Amino acid sequence: AQSVAQPEDQVNVAEGNPLTVKCTYSVSGNPYLFWYVQYPNRGLQFLLKYITGDNLVKGSYGFEAEFNKSQTSFHLKKPSALVSDSALYFCAVRAIYNDMRFGAGTRLTVKP
Amino acid sequence: NAGVTQTPKFRVLKTGQSMTLLCAQDMNHEYMYWYRQDPGMGLRLIHYSVGEGTTAKGEVPDGYNVSRLKKQNFLLGLESAAPSQTSVYFCASRGTAGANVLTFGAGSRLTVL
């Protein structure tokens, strides 16, 4: 079965600095990979996805993610963090059987 | 333009009581999902459905039942609630294309005393 690991519970960065939120996955076959964001008391919102093609994927709000097949990773990045980026971020993977599996989440805090 | 609507938003139950969470989507999506979110554990899939009249088990199905009698609705039932089912429940749906993203509801917070 597919699975996702987010090794960091918490990531703290200063506003204006680059940020990285890590994700590794395990799946049989080619993966569909996703990042979602959750703001307090809200449902999850889609940020970006990787299906095939260019390993660098660009998404909403200036976020991007890099797919690395050899390292089975899909790290989320942003060149310059904003305080408003503070939220809970989830990596997810989908392969067969039509279900989506999520990581445990990483709480990003951007300090002014 | 409601998207995915969950009712109720909050509920407190006593151990052993039963209840049903309703998820409704107006996007004509084939696939629907129920997740629970617990601190430090992310979202775990309870049950899902790939179309009207079909359901399948996810990662943590025990203690829950589901039904998809109409395409737009996906019901999650707890027959005999337990404190371990205290959680925030999220419904999501997506279309049929392989890489379609999930659209989530706002969540339902359930407390079992």
Side-chain angles (χ1 to χ4, degrees), chain A residues 32 34 36 38 42-44 46 49 51 88 90 94 97-104, chain B residues 31 33 35 37 40-43 45 48 50 59 90 94 98-99 101-102 104-106:
Chain A
Y32 296 154
F34 303 80
Y36 287 80
Q38 185 182 33
R42 302 285 296 275
L44 276 70
F46 169 73
K49 65 182 177 184
I51 307 304
L88 191 54
F90 290 96
R94 192 174 84 73
Y97 305 128
N98 301 309
D99 67 356
M100 186 92 78
R101 299 299 173 97
F102 287 81
Chain B
Y31 301 127
Y33 305 79
Y35 290 89
Q37 182 179 21
M41 303 189 76
L43 273 74
L45 181 64
Y48 65 100
V50 300
E59 301 171 81
F90 286 98
R94 71 172 179 90
V101 302
L102 295 177
F104 281 84

Side-chain angles (χ1 to χ4, degrees), chain A residues 1-3 25-33 93-96:
Chain A
Q2 61 263 33
S3 65
Y25 67 90
S26 173
V27 68
S28 298
N30 294 323
Y32 296 154
L33 294 159
V93 64
R94 192 174 84 73
I96 59 176

Side-chain angles (χ1 to χ4, degrees), chain A residues 2 9 12 15-16 35-36 39 42-43 47 49 55-56 59 63 67 71-72 76 79 83-84 86 88 92 94 99 112:
Chain A
Q2 61 263 33
D9 294 335
N12 297 315
E15 188 174 31
W35 277 100
Y36 287 80
Y39 298 101
R42 302 285 296 275
L47 271 182
K49 65 182 177 184
N55 289 343
L56 186 63
F63 284 93
F67 171 66
Q71 297 185 1
T72 61
L76 181 70
V83 172
S84 57
S86 298
L88 191 54
R94 192 174 84 73
D99 67 356

Side-chain angles (χ1 to χ4, degrees), chain B residues 6-96:
Chain B
Q6 295 180 227
T7 53
K9 287 185 170 49
F10 302 94
R11 184 75 186 269
V12 178
L13 290 177
K14 294 181 179 179
T15 297
Q17 287 185 318
S18 63
M19 76 157 295
T20 300
L21 297 176
L22 170 63
C23 177
Q25 52 95 4
D26 61 2
M27 298 169 285
N28 202 35
H29 283 170
E30 288 293 334
Y31 301 127
M32 296 187 74
Y33 305 79
W34 275 109
Y35 290 89
R36 59 177 289 174
Q37 182 179 21
D38 302 291
M41 303 189 76
L43 273 74
R44 291 181 292 170
L45 181 64
I46 304 171
H47 286 280
Y48 65 100
S49 168
V50 300
E52 181 179 320
T54 73
T55 63
K57 294 180 180 180
E59 301 171 81
V60 289
D62 294 342
Y64 304 95
N65 56 76
V66 288
S67 64
R68 184 99 182 266
L69 299 179
K70 294 183 178 181
K71 185 177 183 178
Q72 64 267 34
N73 295 338
F74 194 30
L75 279 64
L76 178 71
L78 285 71
E79 290 186 350
S80 180
S84 61
Q85 294 178 304
T86 294
S87 187
V88 180
Y89 293 85
F90 286 98
C91 177
S93 70
R94 71 172 179 90
T96 53

